DNA sequence: TCCATATTTAACATGTATGTTAAATACAGA
DNA sequence: TCTGTATTTAACATACATGTTAAATATGGA
C-alpha cells in the first residue's frame, strides 16, 4: 500500500500476529530470513512477504550478507504509533475513583461537597 | 473478525484513518452516529460499519438514547496495544541517540532541524 | 396508527491481504 | 563454470475490508 499514511501503515503492519512475533524475535537480535521463518508453520515466501510489509512500514531493516539477508529491528518505525497511542493514555489510566469523583462533582443532582472556605463563625 | 487475537483486532482497528479520526473526535466527548459521520465524505452505513469495528475492538461503547446511539471512547481498549508497543520503547529511544550522534559526527553544518523524511504520507 | 428521524442490515462491487507452489535470482565455494 | 543454499518473484486461490445504494428496523411524537 504505497499511498497509505504512516500511522495506518504502521498499525496495519502490527495487526498480524506473525509479524509481531517476528518483531519480538528481532528484539533479541538480528536474524536471517530462514531463521525468522523457522518457528512458523508457513512457507518461506509467506514469511518473506511479511518481512516486506515490515520493511515497507519502516519497522525493520535488511542488509545483505553473502547470500543471507540479515534483518534487524528498526525501533524508530514505532515512534509515531507510540506517540499517537500515548495521547490517549489518560483515557485508560483515569482511575475509577477519579471518574467517580468527577461525575459526582459535576452532576447537578448531587450536592457538591466542595469545601469552599471553611466558614468561620463570627 | 471474531476469532482474532486482541492485539491484532486493536491494531487492525487503528489502521484506518477514518477510525482514528473518530476516536480523536470522541476524545473530546461522546457523540451520536450522525454527528460522527458528518465530517466524512462517506455514506452513513460506511461510518456505521467503522463504528462496529471500533466497538468489536473494545475501543468505543455505545448506549441507546431514544433513537440515537451515543458513542463514547473506551480508553481501556487501548491498554494492551499501548503496553505492547511500550516494550519496544528502548529501541526507538536508542535509535534516536544513535541518529543524533551520527548527525553531529558527520554533518559539518550541524543542522538542528530533525531530518524527518516524511515517507508515504497522503 | 402513521410519519419522520436515526441507524443498521442486505446485497453487491472492488481492491487488498495472505497463503500456496513453482520458477527465478543472487551469492559462495568446489 | 557448475552446484547448493538463501531468498524473492510470479501466478494463482481465497478470504477479508471497505465502499455503495436500497431496504429494514427502532424510537418518539402528531
Amino acid at each position: 500500500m504505497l499511498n497509505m499514511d504512516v500511522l495506518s501503515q504502521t498499525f496495519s503492519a502490527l495487526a498480524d500476529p506473525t509479524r509481531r512475533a517476528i518483531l519480538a524475535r528481532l528484539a533479541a537480535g538480528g536474524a536471517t530470513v530462514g531463521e525468522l521463518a523457522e518457528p512458523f508453520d508457513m512457507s518461506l515466501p509467506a514469511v518473506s512477504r511479511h518481512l516486506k510489509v515490515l520493511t515497507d512500514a519502516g519497522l525493520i531493516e535488511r542488509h545483505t550478507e553473502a547470500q543471507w539477508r540479515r534483518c534487524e529491528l528498526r525501533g524508530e518505525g514505532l515512534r509515531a504509533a507510540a506517540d499517537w497511542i500515548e495521547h490517549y493514555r489518560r483515557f485508560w489510566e483515569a482511575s475509577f475513583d477519579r471518574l467517580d469523583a468527577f461525575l459526582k462533582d459535576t452532576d447537578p443532582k448531587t450536592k457538591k461537597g466542595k469545601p469552599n472556605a471553611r466558614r468561620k463563625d463570627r
Side-chain angles (χ1 to χ4, degrees), chain A:
Chain A
M1 319 232 71
L2 290 173
N3 42 356
M4 208 181 207
D5 65 280
V6 173
L7 280 175
S8 295
Q9 199 170 10
T10 305
F11 284 130
S12 183
L14 297 180
D16 182 284
T18 300
R19 290 195 288 265
R20 289 196 308 277
I22 288 172
L23 293 178
R25 164 67 185 76
L26 290 177
T32 66
V33 176
E35 288 167 352
L36 291 172
E38 195 274 325
F40 299 107
D41 185 20
M42 185 183 300
S43 69
L44 211 49
V47 173
S48 181
R49 286 181 69 168
H50 279 303
L51 293 174
K52 178 161 173 33
V53 172
L54 290 170
T55 303
D56 290 347
L59 294 173
I60 66 175
E61 275 178 347
R62 300 144 110 178
H63 41 281
T64 299
E65 278 179 14
Q67 68 266 56
W68 295 276
R69 314 295 147 82
R70 179 151 295 265
C71 302
E72 287 182 13
L73 192 57
R74 185 174 167 277
E76 180 62 30
L78 284 171
R79 186 193 295 270
D83 287 350
W84 184 91
I85 215 167
E86 197 62 25
H87 279 316
Y88 292 84
R89 173 173 288 280
R90 69 185 176 98
F91 288 100
W92 72 84
E93 276 199 343
S95 73
F96 273 82
D97 289 336
R98 270 185 63 92
L99 176 62
D100 192 52
F102 174 79
L103 292 176
K104 276 184 179 144
D105 221 38
T106 53
D107 188 342
K109 282 175 295 200
T110 308
K111 185 173 141 213
K112 295 181 188 166
K114 212 108 183 249
N116 305 337
R118 261 180 19 247
R119 211 166 285 173
K120 295 182 108 175
D121 296 309
R122 273 192 227 186

